[in-house]
Amino acid sequence: MIKGPILFLGIGGSGMSSLAHMALDLQIQVLGYDQKNSDTTDYLKERGVILYHSIGEIPLNGIQMVVYSSAINDKHKEVFHRIKEQNIPLKHRSEFMHLLVSNQKSISVAGSHGKTSTTTMVSQILTEMGLNPTIMIGGDTSLLQKRGGKIGTGEYAVYESDESDGTFLKHKANFRLLTNIDNDHLDYYHTREKLEQAFLTYMGFDVPGEVVLFARDPGITSVLESNYKTVVFDKGFRLSLLVTKEQTYEKWFQYFVSNYQSQITVIEYEISSDCLYFVFKNEKYSLTLPFPGIHYLTNGLVALTCALKLGITPSKSIEILSRYIGVKRRQEILGTWNGVTVIDDYGHHPTEIRMVINSLKEKNKANGKLHVVFQPHRYTRTKLLLNDLADSLTGADFLYLLPIYSAGESQIEGISSMSFLPFLDKTKTVLLPGLMEEDLMKIQSKLQKGDLLLCLGAGNVRDWGTQLLNGQH
């Protein structure tokens, strides 16, 4: 049994705040440290959390456990030293989460993109089926009423599994879902090979459990093709492969089917006119969602395949997902300004950027132009992915570049938003200084009725959209 008080270092982060809410659900006293106030920390204080903004202020007497995130680093050596001196158990957030779900059947969702949406979809299906799951989501969804995490009394625990620092490999869930593999967090992994090896380990072919793979993804296909000869299946392992029809003839697929036919579930699908069609046990099904974009449909297929493994019929999952509630900062409509729809999206990786730009351009093609206010996220990511980031933005009709959002990183010499300019069409690209009033005047001058204004990035780019709507410029 977990006892409090528990101190959360970096409690304002999305993952940490979710865990803090789960601890509060268990009636555990929670203390927190974060440098900044935010809506997230304000809500935690409403629920009784004692919040500190200075490391030196934190009283450690009586603390039973300290939970920290990867954002807490060498800058905080002093407090780690004090914690160790007093022999207080110190847990990374991933370790603490696994403690919380240790008495339930766990469902983890991993992938370079789509983790939050897919976790929310699985959670919504289980919740509406009355299964009362424990849930931990790295995003804000109305399903959890601003909390990001909750303790449920049901049989299952659903959580988002973050690969950014490798800690997603510390626990093998009973159900392991994987949406895709892409070049991200190479500042941690350094090479594509090490990144792929981490995801291969996550799949856990030699560990009992159900695994659902969206095998249409090139990254997942690459890992399977590179490793199928060395895969050893545990007797308790079951695999679901989501594929398109043309994939059934590929070499790796034939190998899996011929050697492990009884342990493989294959679901073939196709997408046409914002609808995903698939066949299961000779029955034909179609899935549509309230949000545009192929990526949402394929995430939905991953979610309902997981639900299948829990005994929930495709028809029931499809009905629930037809009213999928979505996640804040994923194609979230903020409002309208002079006939212009203002949208916020968290996308900050080239693949995510292409997906959201393509889906919104298709949605609005008969009405007006797509204006994108892009805020690059982290100096390291910008340096590593500069060419691909620039290419992903070319679909915008008008592009406005904000200064890089550092996310706490030190500036890298020679890397700034100006680094994008050689790769972009200068006739439709505007470099913004990051001054709200000046920026909005430049943006407004190009907007026409019927246009879309997309605020894109993982930092605070949303503020430019809300300020435009509020008339504070």
Side-chain angles (χ1 to χ4, degrees):
M1 183 178 177
I2 303 171
K3 294 183 179 180
I6 297 177
L7 169 64
F8 288 81
L9 300 177
I11 197 169
S14 60
M16 289 291 283
S17 62
S18 299
L19 294 173
H21 281 296
M22 295 166 80
L24 290 167
D25 287 348
L26 293 171
Q27 306 299 310
I28 295 171
Q29 184 182 355
V30 171
L31 289 77
Y33 159 75
D34 206 277
Q35 288 184 324
K36 298 178 182 178
N37 277 317
S38 64
D39 291 343
T40 300
T41 57
D42 287 346
Y43 185 47
L44 285 166
K45 286 191 287 186
E46 285 178 27
R47 293 196 71 196
V49 172
I50 302 170
L51 186 68
Y52 298 90
H53 296 300
S54 169
I55 286 283
E57 293 178 353
I58 301 172
L60 295 180
N61 292 339
I63 297 294
Q64 299 298 305
M65 184 185 296
V66 175
V67 182
Y68 69 98
S69 73
S70 298
I72 304 298
N73 49 38
D74 291 343
K75 298 176 185 175
H76 305 90
K77 285 181 180 178
E78 180 188 339
V79 72
F80 281 133
H81 180 69
R82 289 171 56 205
I83 291 164
K84 289 173 182 176
E85 271 191 334
Q86 298 192 32
N87 295 315
I88 301 171
L90 185 63
K91 301 287 185 184
H92 187 271
R93 63 181 175 84
S94 61
E95 296 175 284
F96 183 70
M97 185 193 66
H98 297 142
L99 280 176
L100 291 174
V101 304
S102 59
N103 293 323
Q104 294 169 294
K105 292 180 180 177
S106 52
I107 302 169
S108 67
V109 182
S112 301
H113 319 293
K115 292 185 292 290
T116 303
S117 297
T118 307
T119 308
T120 304
M121 289 174 177
V122 174
S123 301
Q124 185 173 345
I125 292 171
L126 269 58
T127 298
E128 292 199 26
M129 290 297 295
L131 297 178
N132 194 14
T134 289
I135 301 169
M136 205 289 282
I137 298 174
D140 189 356
T141 169
S142 59
L143 184 69
L144 297 178
Q145 299 174 336
K146 301 191 295 183
R147 295 187 182 185
K150 79 167 188 76
I151 294 293
T153 57
E155 185 178 2
Y156 300 104
V158 188
Y159 60 87
E160 186 174 332
S161 201
D162 180 16
E163 81 281 4
S164 63
D165 56 7
T167 53
F168 78 137
L169 301 180
K170 291 186 176 181
H171 179 74
K172 285 292 184 292
N174 303 101
F175 299 82
R176 303 183 287 277
L177 282 56
L178 183 57
T179 56
N180 47 59
I181 300 173
D182 203 353
N183 283 339
D184 202 3
H185 306 299
L186 293 179
D187 53 324
Y188 175 80
Y189 291 101
H190 301 297
T191 66
R192 172 73 183 214
E193 290 73 24
K194 289 181 180 178
L195 174 70
E196 290 188 352
Q197 184 59 48
F199 278 112
L200 181 66
T201 303
Y202 167 81
M203 295 179 210
F205 292 128
D206 57 343
V207 178
E210 296 273 2
V211 175
V212 179
L213 300 180
F214 176 59
R216 182 67 182 87
D217 173 68
I220 294 178
T221 300
S222 173
V223 171
L224 295 178
E225 288 178 336
S226 300
N227 294 279
Y228 73 88
K229 288 183 180 178
T230 60
V231 168
V232 177
F233 279 70
D234 182 276
K235 290 181 181 178
F237 181 91
R238 297 290 184 272
L239 177 65
S240 294
L241 288 170
L242 314 181
V243 302
T244 54
K245 291 182 179 179
E246 63 268 20
Q247 284 185 290
T248 58
Y249 303 103
E250 294 185 12
K251 187 176 181 181
W252 61 262
F253 185 83
Q254 291 178 332
Y255 178 85
F256 276 134
V257 171
S258 61
N259 286 276
Y260 301 102
Q261 182 77 52
S262 63
Q263 294 177 306
I264 299 285
T265 299
V266 178
I267 296 181
E268 293 183 354
Y269 76 93
E270 60 183 351
I271 295 175
S272 177
S273 301
D274 296 322
C275 186
L276 186 146
Y277 302 90
F278 67 97
V279 177
F280 180 71
K281 291 187 176 179
N282 298 319
E283 289 285 329
K284 294 181 179 179
Y285 299 93
S286 60
L287 170 68
T288 57
L289 295 168
F291 295 84
I294 291 172
H295 55 299
Y296 280 115
L297 291 170
T298 55
N299 291 343
L301 182 60
V302 171
L304 69 82
T305 302
C306 173
L308 268 174
K309 297 299 179 180
L310 307 182
I312 300 170
T313 65
S315 297
K316 194 62 188 175
S317 292
I318 287 168
E319 178 204 336
I320 293 170
L321 291 179
S322 70
R323 50 181 181 270
Y324 168 57
I325 57 176
V327 180
K328 191 174 181 179
R329 301 218 62 199
R330 268 67 170 186
Q331 293 192 31
E332 180 187 358
I333 297 176
L334 301 180
T336 58
W337 176 86
N338 290 355
V340 176
T341 301
V342 182
I343 299 171
D344 178 43
D345 194 277
Y346 185 78
H348 54 284
H349 182 279
T351 302
E352 298 166 347
I353 292 167
R354 285 190 186 92
M355 285 177 177
V356 68
I357 286 178
N358 290 341
S359 61
L360 290 177
K361 281 201 76 171
E362 178 65 23
K363 177 183 179 181
N364 202 52
K365 62 185 178 183
N367 298 316
K369 302 293 186 182
L370 176 63
H371 300 251
V372 176
V373 183
F374 178 63
Q375 184 183 53
H377 188 256
R378 295 183 181 273
Y379 290 101
T380 51
R381 179 180 284 115
T382 302
K383 181 179 179 180
L384 287 166
L385 302 177
L386 179 62
N387 289 14
D388 206 11
L389 280 167
D391 182 71
S392 70
L393 293 163
T394 57
D397 295 307
F398 294 98
L399 176 64
Y400 312 87
L401 290 172
L402 285 169
I404 294 173
Y405 186 87
S406 70
E409 289 186 342
S410 299
Q411 187 170 357
I412 297 175
E413 187 176 353
I415 298 298
S416 70
S417 292
M418 288 184 67
S419 305
F420 287 86
L421 296 181
F423 306 98
L424 297 169
D425 182 347
K426 293 180 177 59
T427 64
K428 62 176 187 178
T429 303
V430 177
L431 195 65
L432 300 176
L435 303 172
M436 189 75 70
E437 184 174 348
E438 185 177 337
D439 293 344
L440 289 176
M441 286 178 66
K442 291 180 179 181
I443 295 167
Q444 279 180 275
S445 68
K446 295 183 181 296
L447 294 174
Q448 302 287 330
K449 185 177 181 180
D451 290 349
L452 296 182
L453 177 65
L454 170 64
C455 299
L456 187 62
N460 64 340
V461 62
R462 174 192 183 95
D463 294 347
W464 274 252
T466 56
Q467 294 288 68
L468 176 67
L469 293 170
N470 292 336
Q472 299 174 16
H473 51 270

